[in-house]
Amino acid sequence: CLFSTARDGSSFTRLCAMTLARAPCLLVIRDGAGARFGGYSSAPLQLGPRWFGGSNSFLFRADGAGGVLLHRATGANANFVYMNAHREMLPNGIAFGGDLDSRHFGLWLEDSLDTGRAEETCSTYDLPHSLASSAGFAVDHVEVWAVCEGARNPWLAAGGEEEGGGATSDAHKETREFLALAGREVNRAQALEPFREEEEEGRPRAPEKWISPDQ
């Protein structure tokens, strides 16, 4: 785990220091009502005024019954992931999908790390409903996970519990299951392979229901 508010506090500056340019990342949020959701960035996180990532980025929400609803990119635009800080004229925080001018996002996490928004519709991702318990939500907990074997948190002491690697260690089975949502096979012997690009010939993907293979 690269960053956790429980461990590292609600500091966007610290989140940036721990996560930028390290690896493709999984952002996981639990809101004040207990809903768990987030997004996967297929590219390492980066600060700037432009969108980044690829069409294999996605949004997800745990359904409360052991499964997860997965929302893939529609192909309507390339507004996959956005991250910025300390700017007066641009939003500061992390966004997945939507539009900067209208401030309408599929998922938005404020740089305060205590509030966010999850709109009911988003042109970038096939999102027929809000990911969170409500469109505007209070944040209870935030984590950012590296999606590769070698991206370790440089802030943690050597030999600590979290130093077992990224999301592929035995301690983080649930996170490995989230990665499997995108069709990845976690392999201990090597870094995770990139997503295969899947062309849908203009058809938006429907939300997918994924159930753990262990169930």
Side-chain angles (χ1 to χ4, degrees), residues 6-87:
R7 184 191 67 210
D8 306 309
S10 296
S11 168
F12 196 68
T13 298
R14 194 165 177 82
L15 183 153
C16 292
M18 291 179 165
T19 63
L20 289 178
R22 298 199 177 281
C25 286
L26 192 75
L27 172 69
V28 184
I29 299 171
R30 184 174 65 228
D31 69 19
R36 291 189 303 132
F37 52 92
Y40 169 74
S41 172
S42 62
L45 297 179
Q46 56 187 269
L47 290 177
R50 294 182 175 83
W51 296 91
F52 60 92
S55 60
N56 39 19
S57 301
F58 62 85
L59 292 170
F60 69 88
R61 172 175 171 154
D63 68 3
V68 176
L69 292 174
L70 176 64
H71 305 281
R72 296 187 183 274
T74 64
N77 56 56
N79 300 347
F80 303 115
V81 189
Y82 166 90
M83 185 176 185
N84 217 341
H86 310 301
R87 296 291 181 266

Side-chain angles (χ1 to χ4, degrees), residues 128-145:
H129 53 75
S130 175
L131 296 172
S133 299
S134 59
F137 61 87
V139 173
D140 180 59
H141 186 66
V142 175
E143 293 180 352
V144 180
W145 291 85

Side-chain angles (χ1 to χ4, degrees), residues 63-150:
D63 68 3
V68 176
L69 292 174
L70 176 64
H71 305 281
R72 296 187 183 274
T74 64
N77 56 56
N79 300 347
F80 303 115
V81 189
Y82 166 90
M83 185 176 185
N84 217 341
H86 310 301
R87 296 291 181 266
E88 292 184 1
M89 303 301 293
L90 291 169
N92 295 311
I94 303 175
F96 281 79
D99 181 72
L100 292 176
D101 292 334
S102 66
R103 306 297 202 264
H104 183 100
F105 304 114
L107 175 59
W108 170 249
L109 178 63
E110 290 279 354
D111 60 355
S112 62
L113 302 186
D114 59 9
T115 61
R117 287 195 63 81
E119 302 295 349
E120 293 185 355
T121 60
C122 173
S123 60
T124 308
Y125 298 101
D126 186 29
L127 192 63
H129 53 75
S130 175
L131 296 172
S133 299
S134 59
F137 61 87
V139 173
D140 180 59
H141 186 66
V142 175
E143 293 180 352
V144 180
W145 291 85
V147 187
C148 80
E149 189 69 37

